């Protein structure tokens, strides 16, 4: 009976403890809109900022702009609880590959600069929402 007491107590606690609500299902349209981006270019400096515009279309199509450059090629994908996108822009001298995933209402992303040898880490919040904290 000594062993059964703690087991019974755990079982009762599990029965009365409310379960966390399931996360809201993602929709491709969750990417739509204007996003304020904090770009972490140096661990010793505060982030710089820019704007990301996204608009999903049919069949994975995505239009928009990043850092004031229109997407030349872009797609999004929704797989289970993962909503992600990839896009290519250029500044006239070199292409940039961008990718991001929607995580807890913000986009966590990175940009690879081809030919300039850098990878920029960034976080985007929907315009009008709280900016990400700097670390």
């Amino acid at each position: 009976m000594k062993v059964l007491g703690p087991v019974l107590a755990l079982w009762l606690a599990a029965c009365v403890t409310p379960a966390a609500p399931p996360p809201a299902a993602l929709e491709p349209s969750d990417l739509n809109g204007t996003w304020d981006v904090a770009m972490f270019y140096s661990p010793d400096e505060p982030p710089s900022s820019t704007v990301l515009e996204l608009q999903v279309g049919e069949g994975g199509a995505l239009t928009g702009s990043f850092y004031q450059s229109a997407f030349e090629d872009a797609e999004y994908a929704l797989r289970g609880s993962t909503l992600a996108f990839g896009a290519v822009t250029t500044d006239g001298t070199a292409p940039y590959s961008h990718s991001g995933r929607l995580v807890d209402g913000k986009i966590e992303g990175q940009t690879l600069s081809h030919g300039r040898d850098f990878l920029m880490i960034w976080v985007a919040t929907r315009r009008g929402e709280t900016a990400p904290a700097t670390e």
Side-chain angles (χ1 to χ4, degrees), residues 120-131:
M120 180 79 64
I121 298 168
W122 50 267
V123 176
T125 54
R126 192 174 298 281
R127 172 111 344 140
E129 293 182 2
T130 304

Side-chain angles (χ1 to χ4, degrees), residues 78-94:
L78 176 60
R79 303 290 186 271
S81 61
T82 301
L83 179 56
F85 74 92
V88 176
T89 62
T90 185
D91 64 2
T93 59

Side-chain angles (χ1 to χ4, degrees), residues 4-90:
L4 194 53
V7 171
L8 183 58
L10 286 172
W11 179 78
L12 286 172
C15 290
V16 297
T17 304
L26 291 174
E27 298 289 332
S29 62
D30 292 338
L31 290 175
N32 288 345
T34 301
W35 298 80
D36 291 313
V37 180
M39 298 184 301
F40 301 95
Y41 62 93
S42 168
D44 302 325
E45 299 292 329
S48 62
S49 63
T50 192
V51 175
L52 170 67
E53 296 279 348
L54 298 173
Q55 185 66 42
V56 299
E58 295 294 319
L62 181 68
T63 58
S65 64
F66 188 64
Y67 211 79
Q68 302 167 345
S69 295
F71 294 165
E72 295 182 352
D73 191 18
E75 292 186 23
Y76 73 88
L78 176 60
R79 303 290 186 271
S81 61
T82 301
L83 179 56
F85 74 92
V88 176
T89 62
T90 185

